[in-house]
Amino acid sequence: MTKARRIYEKIVTGILFSSSTITSFTVILIVVFLFREGIGLFNSTPTEKNYVIAVSRQNTIPIITSNELADIFNQDITNWKQLGGSNDSIIRLTLNDLSGIFTEEELGPNLEYFPQKLNEYVKTTPGIILYLSKEYIPKNFAGRIIPVKKITLLDFTFGKHWYPTSAPIPQFGIWPMIVGTLMVTFGAILFALPFGMATAIFMSEIAGSRLRNIMKPVVELLAGIPSVVYGFFGLVVLVPLIQRLFGLDVGETVLAGSIVLGIMALPTMVTVAEDALHATPKSLREASLALGASELQTLVRVVIPYAKSGISTAVILGTGRAIGETMAVLMVTGNSTHVNYSFLQPTRTIPATIAAELGDTSFGGVHYNALFALAIVLFLFTIIINLSVEVIKNRNKGFNQPR
Amino acid sequence: MMSFVVVAILVIILGFIAVRGIGVISWEFLTTAPKEGMTKGGIFPAILGTGCLVIGSMVFAFPVGILSGIYIHEYLMENWWKKFLRMMTNNLAGIPSIVFGLFGMALFVNYLKFGDSILAGSLTLGILTLPVVIRLTEEALKSVPDGLRLGSYALGASKIQTIQKVVLPVAFPNILTGLILSIGRVSGETAPILFTVAAYFLPRLPESISDQVMALPYHLYVLATSGTNMEETRPMAYGTALVLVSIVLIINLSASLLRRQIQKKTKMH
Amino acid sequence: MTHAEVNNVNVWYDTIHALKDVSLKFERNTVTALIGPSGCGKSTFLRLFNRMNDLIPSFRMNGTVMVNNQDVYSKEIRIDEIRKNVGMVFQKPNPFPKSIFENVAYGLRVNGINNKTIVEDTVERSLRQAALWDEVKDLLKKSALELSGGQQQRLCIARALAVEPKLILMDEPASSLDPISTARIEELIFELKKTYTIILVTHNLQQAGRISDLTAFFYLGELIEYNLTKKIFLNPDNTQTQNYITGRFG
Ligand SMILES: Nc1ncnc2c1ncn2[C@@H]1O[C@H](COP(=O)(O)OP(=O)(O)O)[C@@H](O)[C@H]1O
Ligand SMILES: [Mg+2]
């Protein structure tokens, strides 16, 4: 072997090695970037940049949460007493309310006297809460800027309200989306499981090789159809059907999402389950048949138990497919971010939320961060799914090779 | 009986789209840009855009994926590093496509400042296909009998010679089949391109890899959900869906045919 | 003259002690049969000479292996050189899915020999030596996979001969073949003995008796007995050998 050849081989090996490293590097990069952008949500106050919340100096409340703020500005909380403060009714002040309190001359044509007036007003109004851009806050401000509590993981996960763009305070509770995702996915599995298993059993146990050769490409084609096409089909066929069938105002429902997702999860389930059933050793089957068991008994008592872990893998992988699916669900579930526990109401899943909203966010803003945090949740879901597949695989290995 | 439902579903979906879409398809539809608020004209920019993205992602994912697959299967012993790589590949494969889109936006569009561009979109799609390509390469290599490798080594061939002259030629048809399938998958993906490249409407065709493009799947999404004049955009949506499905089906079918060809050939011996 | 020798070799796979302090010498132009129950280390022993064991990650050894008075495991020598000088034929025929011609030419090509006339001459010579030329001389462009099992195995022998080794290792070369093909391979081995040294692993005792000059009996990783084949089969010194030969175990 010549020297040139040896150098050539070293280089090729190097290229091979670096390629394989890129892959693992990519996963790490994905995690890093998701967290980098997502974690920001929990590190910043949720109010918009350059805006402040302030109260009177007499006000004794030290810090305020975003939920409380939302309630105050929604007028669900009207007295400081409700938050443990003094008995003063709450008076809200934002830029929109100015005209009700001050006259135009008082403020000047470009609001140049406003900071001064504001000071006077704050001094005399113990119940005030104001939400204003920093530029209007005078140097010798008579009020007190009150800090807003950062969003906690708990608020984020179990918060029931998702108002990512509302002022003065957006709310990022993802509970509606978690519920939506789980319900749609659960419905999809419920729909796909019987059909998927029946098809898998049919293909591996009953169908002759001719039929099998027809079914296999059918399943593959089903897997190949792009998700937007499923979404489109759901939108123009399924949604109106459901609307009419159940006499609903809108047909875009959890049910529609479940059916579309169920169809999309079918190929994964069928393929994996069929492989598992097919892998049952012939000798086991023949042994059972030789003992006088019928085909059906053999199937139920020998084949299915043997293929059990493969079948669970099929279900889990189908779930994985369903949980991460974006476009189809986005198109048929109606985009509602209210908590909903009914199959006949609209909802929105985690991936659909990201797809629907990310385009409207500004890079680095709280909303942007919140969507990345949402992606982390989705990522965790899929990691859990991957891990459970691994666990089942490993357990099965030990079971099949007792030595 | 239940299992025929699966066949029925396929037939219904394809049939429905074919019946509604076939009337819309014309030479003009395939070769011109959308007109009059997407109620008239064609989808040529979207077809072209999808073509660009497929090629772009192939350029990245195929070499990296195939080389990684070769490295993992032919070079690595069963040790922790191989397990780690395999775990990473599996994890990567399980990540939802929207997460790839998010990642692509954060890394390529914002951090590396590529902006919404063919480059950013292709790389995102490429990363999405990477685990698929690695896995199919590994599967193809696994189907090469070990006896061939040993035979080659015994004649004094080096590892790389063995891979180049024996292993890869044998695995090639299977790798090719897998690659074709992965192209089918890429051309239908929407979520990863939403925030990395896809444009709602572009009057011009792209001129460089830093331009945005329209893409078939995204165009279908737009037509289906956000038209101002739903009645009139519907036919365009059916036509787009038919074109998209046809492309994907043709790709999948050619992969199937190729595979059948290979099976026939290997069975003969 | 001694062609190859093994001195005090021990082999382990992880904790399995596969060869235990084995020493053996092989004379030029002889056929030596290695016999013994399966798992006793015959293949492991055979693979010492062309370092094919090195491909198994858990493989460890000590002792020396010499071929042509060269230490096969010395640091200075290159593995591909060794493998070029030692041909190997496997249990299952493993022709490459290439043409018959390219199969035989493979060993030349990987060693950088591409000269057309040299390659063509070598291919013809090797196929003739392997007694395959007459059957395939018009099919050289055909895929090797279209040959029958017995032809494939002779092709693999031709492939090994093409790089002009002096020592040929055969690991149960006829065990997957029908009796007629087996007979042809045996004839071939008999012919090859004139120019090559052959070490042959076989399960088939009659085969060992028919074609080998010497026989080595392995048991549980140890070399139990090594002697002229006639002696081993008619009157072995060791009772374990006796038992194995007469079919009392193994
Ligand atoms: N690749 C390997 N890895 C681990 N152990 C091996 C390997 N190959 C062979 N062995 C072990 O070494 C011993 C000898 O095997 P082998 O040389 O193949 O015997 P034989 O060819 O006589 O049947 C056996 O116990 C076998 O289990
Ligand atoms: Mg052996």
Side-chain angles (χ1 to χ4, degrees):
Chain A
M1 199 156 66
T2 61
K3 198 160 182 193
R5 168 114 219 144
R6 239 146 70 207
I7 294 173
Y8 164 78
E9 303 214 333
K10 280 243 162 67
I11 293 173
V12 174
T13 316
I15 293 175
L16 289 173
F17 173 77
S18 18
S19 301
S20 77
T21 318
I22 289 182
T23 317
S24 35
F25 188 62
T26 310
V27 180
I28 294 167
L29 259 188
I30 291 181
V31 174
V32 167
F33 267 85
L34 285 186
F35 276 86
R36 208 179 92 114
E37 308 285 352
I39 219 78
L41 179 68
F42 304 105
N43 280 339
S44 56
T45 45
T47 45
E48 215 161 314
K49 265 186 205 135
N50 294 323
Y51 275 73
V52 292
I53 308 279
V55 292
S56 151
R57 295 224 168 169
Q58 282 132 302
N59 198 321
T60 51
I61 292 176
I63 189 164
I64 196 159
T65 69
S66 6
N67 284 342
E68 289 164 354
L69 264 177
D71 285 344
I72 289 173
F73 282 88
N74 291 337
Q75 317 209 353
D76 289 336
I77 294 177
T78 51
N79 194 305
W80 287 110
K81 208 166 58 179
Q82 285 166 279
L83 297 176
S86 53
N87 185 7
D88 291 305
S89 62
I90 295 177
I91 296 168
R92 286 161 288 270
L93 176 71
T94 68
L95 218 47
N96 299 337
D97 310 322
L98 292 189
S99 52
I101 302 167
F102 308 104
T103 63
E104 252 173 65
E105 291 113 67
E106 278 177 321
L107 297 175
N110 294 319
L111 299 178
E112 50 274 46
Y113 310 131
F114 173 50
Q116 196 48 44
K117 284 281 159 208
L118 182 66
N119 252 354
E120 289 166 18
Y121 186 68
V122 167
K123 267 185 211 150
T124 55
T125 323
I128 194 167
I129 182 160
L130 53 85
Y131 168 71
L132 286 172
S133 169
K134 271 185 189 145
E135 60 181 304
Y136 300 122
I137 304 296
K139 283 227 175 62
N140 54 344
F141 185 46
R144 174 170 65 91
I145 293 178
I146 185 168
V148 180
K149 224 176 169 177
K150 290 172 183 167
I151 298 174
T152 64
L153 198 57
L154 219 63
D155 298 334
F156 180 68
T157 318
F158 297 107
K160 299 231 174 4
H161 302 289
W162 178 264
Y163 300 120
T165 52
S166 78
I169 189 89
Q171 279 183 293
F172 299 106
I174 61 167
W175 187 244
M177 271 83 88
I178 292 184
V179 172
T181 306
L182 293 180
M183 277 182 62
V184 172
T185 307
F186 179 72
I189 297 305
L190 220 56
F191 173 83
L193 197 58
F195 292 113
M197 287 307 129
T199 310
I201 291 172
F202 177 79
M203 281 172 70
S204 88
E205 307 296 316
I206 300 164
S209 69
R210 168 99 56 81
L211 252 178
R212 215 179 114 100
N213 282 346
I214 300 175
M215 297 286 287
K216 257 212 132 94
V218 165
V219 173
E220 275 166 24
L221 286 185
L222 216 49
I225 296 178
S227 56
V228 254
V229 175
Y230 280 112
F232 179 59
F233 178 78
L235 190 65
V236 292
V237 176
L238 219 54
V239 166
L241 195 71
I242 288 175
Q243 184 183 0
R244 240 174 298 140
L245 220 57
F246 296 95
L248 303 171
D249 295 335
V250 282
E252 281 110 336
T253 51
V254 176
L255 182 63
S258 291
I259 295 176
V260 170
L261 270 191
I263 294 174
M264 296 178 71
L266 263 179
T268 316
M269 278 179 134
V270 172
T271 321
V272 181
E274 206 248 356
D275 283 348
L277 289 171
H278 210 69
T280 312
K282 229 191 178 141
S283 56
L284 268 185
R285 265 169 235 258
E286 283 168 356
S288 165
L289 292 174
L291 288 170
S294 70
E295 297 265 351
L296 188 67
Q297 284 170 320
T298 305
L299 178 67
V300 174
R301 289 169 185 255
V302 177
V303 178
I304 292 182
Y306 185 88
K308 205 166 62 189
S309 79
I311 293 175
S312 351
T313 309
V315 175
I316 297 176
L317 284 177
T319 313
R321 176 97 169 87
I323 228 168
E325 176 47 45
T326 311
M327 301 314 290
V329 208
L330 175 62
M331 291 163 85
V332 300
T333 50
N335 279 329
S336 153
T337 55
H338 292 279
V339 187
N340 157 43
Y341 296 101
S342 153
F343 273 91
L344 295 176
Q345 294 280 318
T347 188
R348 194 160 76 183
T349 63
I350 295 175
T353 303
I354 299 172
E357 292 179 7
L358 190 62
D360 306 329
T361 63
S362 59
F363 172 54
V366 205
H367 188 188
Y368 177 88
N369 291 340
L371 293 178
F372 273 85
L374 209 50
I376 296 176
V377 175
L378 187 60
F379 185 78
L380 292 180
F381 275 143
T382 53
I383 293 285
I384 292 171
I385 285 170
N386 276 344
L387 286 182
S388 33
V389 172
E390 286 302 310
V391 168
I392 289 179
K393 238 191 235 162
N394 288 339
R395 206 172 38 195
N396 192 42
K397 244 185 218 153
F399 175 70
N400 276 346
Q401 298 164 348
R403 281 165 299 165
Chain B
M1 261 310 105
M2 266 170 122
S3 59
F4 288 104
V5 171
V6 176
V7 182
I9 290 173
L10 183 77
V11 172
I12 290 172
I13 295 181
L14 294 186
F16 179 79
I17 288 171
V19 167
R20 295 280 178 101
I22 197 79
V24 186
I25 308 275
S26 67
W27 186 244
E28 193 207 349
F29 185 72
L30 295 175
T31 54
T32 59
K35 279 188 289 230
E36 298 175 28
M38 302 198 190
T39 57
K40 294 249 163 54
I43 53 169
F44 180 67
I47 297 177
L48 184 78
T50 290
C52 290
L53 292 175
V54 167
I55 292 171
S57 62
M58 275 162 53
V59 167
F60 169 73
F62 285 6
V64 175
I66 294 174
L67 293 175
S68 311
I70 293 174
Y71 189 78
I72 293 175
H73 191 266
E74 300 291 320
Y75 278 77
L76 289 179
M77 316 279 183
E78 278 300 332
N79 60 12
W80 67 270
W81 176 239
K82 183 165 184 169
K83 277 199 194 112
F84 175 76
L85 280 180
R86 178 140 311 133
M87 197 182 82
M88 284 303 180
T89 325
N90 283 346
N91 272 329
L92 201 58
I95 296 175
S97 52
I98 184 75
V99 175
F100 282 99
L102 231 62
F103 167 70
M105 180 193 194
L107 176 62
F108 301 125
V109 176
N110 291 334
Y111 188 76
L112 297 176
K113 304 215 164 43
F114 294 164
D116 280 6
S117 60
I118 296 180
L119 184 60
S122 300
L123 285 171
T124 308
L125 284 173
I127 290 179
L128 176 93
T129 7
L130 197 54
V132 183
V133 177
I134 292 178
R135 205 180 277 173
L136 71 88
T137 308
E138 277 193 78
E139 289 299 322
L141 294 175
K142 216 183 274 172
S143 69
V144 178
D146 254 343
L148 294 183
R149 296 187 180 84
L150 293 180
S152 169
Y153 288 134
L155 290 166
S158 68
K159 184 153 207 152
I160 294 201
Q161 285 175 323
T162 303
I163 293 173
Q164 273 180 349
K165 299 191 180 220
V166 176
V167 178
L168 283 184
V170 178
F172 179 74
N174 281 325
I175 295 183
L176 190 66
T177 315
L179 292 183
I180 295 176
L181 282 175
S182 74
I183 293 179
R185 162 135 192 241
V186 167
S187 46
E189 280 289 350
T190 318
I193 58 172
L194 276 180
F195 312 114
T196 52
V197 51
Y200 183 80
F201 174 71
L202 280 178
R204 286 182 310 119
L205 296 178
E207 277 159 9
S208 78
I209 55 168
S210 52
D211 282 350
Q212 276 189 284
V213 282
M214 295 173 71
L216 275 178
Y218 181 61
H219 191 59
L220 174 57
Y221 170 67
V222 168
L223 288 174
T225 57
S226 49
T228 41
N229 195 343
M230 283 291 188
E231 286 296 297
E232 297 199 27
T233 47
R234 259 300 123 79
M236 305 309 277
Y238 285 117
T240 311
L242 181 57
V243 171
L244 180 57
V245 166
S246 309
I247 291 177
V248 172
L249 288 194
I250 288 170
I251 291 173
N252 283 9
L253 280 178
S254 47
S256 293
L257 283 180
L258 183 64
R259 181 165 46 204
R260 197 159 293 178
Q261 209 69 21
I262 298 164
Q263 273 166 0
K264 226 189 260 164
K265 221 163 147 193
T266 43
K267 218 179 257 169
M268 210 166 68
H269 308 304
Chain C
M1 208 174 55
T2 305
H3 191 165
E5 63 179 293
V6 171
N7 291 312
N8 306 99
V9 164
N10 283 287
V11 170
W12 293 267
Y13 297 109
D14 280 330
T15 53
I16 299 172
H17 198 167
L19 286 178
K20 296 170 187 162
D21 196 30
V22 175
S23 301
L24 248 179
K25 277 190 180 145
F26 299 90
E27 299 301 316
R28 257 179 219 288
N29 304 340
T30 56
V31 175
T32 306
L34 309 181
I35 60 170
S38 61
C40 68
K42 305 180 298 288
S43 298
T44 302
F45 181 80
L46 198 67
R47 292 192 302 249
L48 286 172
F49 297 99
N50 61 350
R51 294 188 60 171
M52 289 297 272
N53 284 325
D54 292 25
L55 299 169
I56 300 164
S58 59
F59 168 78
R60 272 184 309 129
M61 71 163 289
N62 60 30
T64 56
V65 180
M66 312 283 281
V67 175
N68 298 326
N69 292 321
Q70 256 188 332
D71 182 356
V72 170
Y73 286 83
S74 92
K75 289 242 157 54
E76 283 102 66
I77 197 160
R78 301 189 44 80
I79 269 195
D80 46 299
E81 282 300 318
I82 299 165
R83 292 193 180 143
K84 232 173 63 186
N85 291 325
V86 180
M88 185 162 195
V89 179
F90 297 81
Q91 179 167 359
K92 254 187 82 189
N94 57 352
F96 304 131
K98 298 171 180 282
S99 70
I100 293 172
F101 184 91
E102 281 305 320
N103 260 279
V104 184
Y106 184 85
L108 300 176
R109 300 216 191 281
V110 297
N111 287 298
I113 301 167
N114 282 309
N115 180 302
K116 198 158 173 258
T117 44
I118 297 184
V119 173
E120 279 174 3
D121 290 351
T122 312
V123 169
E124 179 173 345
R125 176 183 54 77
S126 311
L127 284 169
R128 280 187 193 283
Q129 278 186 312
L132 194 59
W133 176 252
D134 292 333
E135 292 160 59
V136 302
K137 62 172 183 274
D138 300 323
L139 315 168
L140 292 176
K141 293 243 147 34
K142 278 255 164 80
S143 165
L145 300 178
E146 290 175 30
L147 297 174
S148 73
Q151 288 174 319
Q152 288 188 358
Q153 193 62 305
R154 275 181 284 145
L155 178 67
C156 291
I157 293 174
R159 190 174 71 182
L161 298 177
V163 288
E164 301 183 39
K166 287 287 164 271
L167 176 64
I168 298 179
L169 313 171
M170 298 188 172
D171 196 344
E172 307 187 30
S175 68
S176 64
L177 303 181
D178 59 276
I180 294 175
S181 305
T182 303
R184 299 210 60 172
I185 300 276
E186 287 182 13
E187 276 166 39
L188 178 58
I189 293 174
F190 210 78
E191 275 303 305
L192 293 173
K193 188 170 84 168
K194 293 173 188 156
T195 15
Y196 300 93
T197 310
I198 295 172
I199 309 177
L200 168 81
V201 171
T202 180
H203 250 114
N204 181 335
L205 293 180
Q206 283 88 352
Q207 185 174 63
R210 279 194 298 268
I211 56 176
S212 70
D213 307 308
L214 294 131
T215 297
F217 172 61
F218 284 81
Y219 184 58
L220 297 178
E222 283 180 84
L223 173 63
I224 303 295
E225 190 169 354
Y226 176 49
N227 218 324
L228 290 174
T229 302
K230 279 200 195 98
K231 166 90 171 125
I232 295 255
F233 276 81
L234 295 177
N235 182 21
D237 292 333
N238 189 295
T239 49
Q240 281 175 320
T241 317
Q242 175 83 37
N243 287 346
Y244 183 70
I245 299 291
T246 54
R248 248 169 260 164
F249 76 93

